[in-house]
Every structure is written in C-alpha cells, then in structure tokens.
C-alpha cells in the first residue's frame, strides 16, 4: 500500500505542477498583452485551470499524509517542516495571486 500512496502523492505533485504552470504562464502573458479580449481569454484559461489546481493539491496532500502514517514518518522532523512550508507558501501565495488576477480582471471589465 505504501508504494501506491507515494505514487499518488507524486502524481498529485505532477498534476499540481501542470495546473500551476498554466496559471503562471497566463500571468506572464498578461503582462505584455494589450488586447482586452485576449486578456479576458487568458483570464478564462487561468480560471479553468483552478479546478485541476485544487484537486491536485488535495491528491498530493492526501497521498503524502497517508504515506506519512503508513510509513511512520510523523515522528520525523522533515515531514512536519515539509507540511508547514507547504501551508505557509499556500497561505502567502493565495491572497497575492487572487488580488493580482482580480485587479487585472477589474481593469479589463471597467474600461
């Protein structure tokens, strides 16, 4: 069972990377784009990737946490540091990304 949970965890990491990469690519493309319809399309693409983004986070966390229990890793410092770092980065990045995309969306819709 443990190898399968590690596999699920790694699959979640790969899916997270793909979904997050789509959003980051949109962010960089928007910076140089001047056409409002194209910016709206890019924002829609980023929004469409969010479902995969959150599902992949759930998969990677579930796989990692369950593998941590089965592998008896919770007594080790590295798993706590990894989980804490993940939560801290998510807590910091969520409001930053959300406010950026909301500002861009608002600017495109109001002009």
């Amino acid at each position: 069972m443990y190898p399968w949970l590690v596999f699920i965890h790694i699959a979640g990491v790969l899916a997270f990377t793909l979904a997050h990469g789509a959003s980051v690519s949109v962010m960089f493309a928007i910076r140089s784009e001047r056409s409002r319809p194209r910016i709206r399309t890019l924002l829609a693409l980023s929004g469409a990737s969010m479902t995969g983004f959150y599902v992949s986070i759930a998969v990677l966390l579930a796989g990692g946490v369950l593998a941590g229990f089965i592998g008896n890793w919770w007594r080790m410092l590295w798993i706590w540091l990894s989980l804490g770092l993940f939560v801290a980065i998510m807590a910091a990045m969520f409001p930053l990304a959300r406010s950026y995309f909301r500002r861009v969306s608002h600017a495109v819709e109001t002009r």
Side-chain angles (χ1 to χ4, degrees):
M1 180 77 163
Y2 179 78
W4 283 106
L5 290 173
V6 172
F7 174 78
I8 289 169
H9 176 67
I10 299 301
V13 170
L14 292 173
F16 169 78
T17 303
L18 288 171
H20 188 264
S23 186
V24 170
S25 296
V26 164
M27 183 187 71
F28 285 124
I30 284 175
R31 296 175 84 188
S32 62
E33 187 59 57
R34 299 296 174 241
S35 167
R36 284 189 179 88
R38 288 186 64 170
I39 292 173
R40 285 187 200 105
T41 302
L42 288 168
L43 289 171
L45 173 63
S46 178
S49 73
M50 288 296 101
T51 300
F53 178 82
Y54 289 117
V55 168
S56 65
I57 286 174
V59 169
L60 80 88
L61 281 174
V65 167
L66 290 173
F69 282 116
I70 291 176
N72 196 26
W73 295 114
W74 293 105
R75 60 186 167 78
M76 305 295 286
L77 180 62
W78 67 265
I79 196 167
W80 290 103
L81 291 175
S82 297
L83 188 57
L85 184 62
F86 182 80
V87 169
I89 290 171
M90 287 294 294
M93 292 306 296
F94 182 78
L96 291 173
R98 175 167 262 185
S99 67
Y100 172 78
F101 281 110
R102 278 191 176 166
R103 283 194 319 264
V104 170
S105 180
H106 181 68
V108 170
E109 298 300 324
T110 58
R111 294 182 185 187

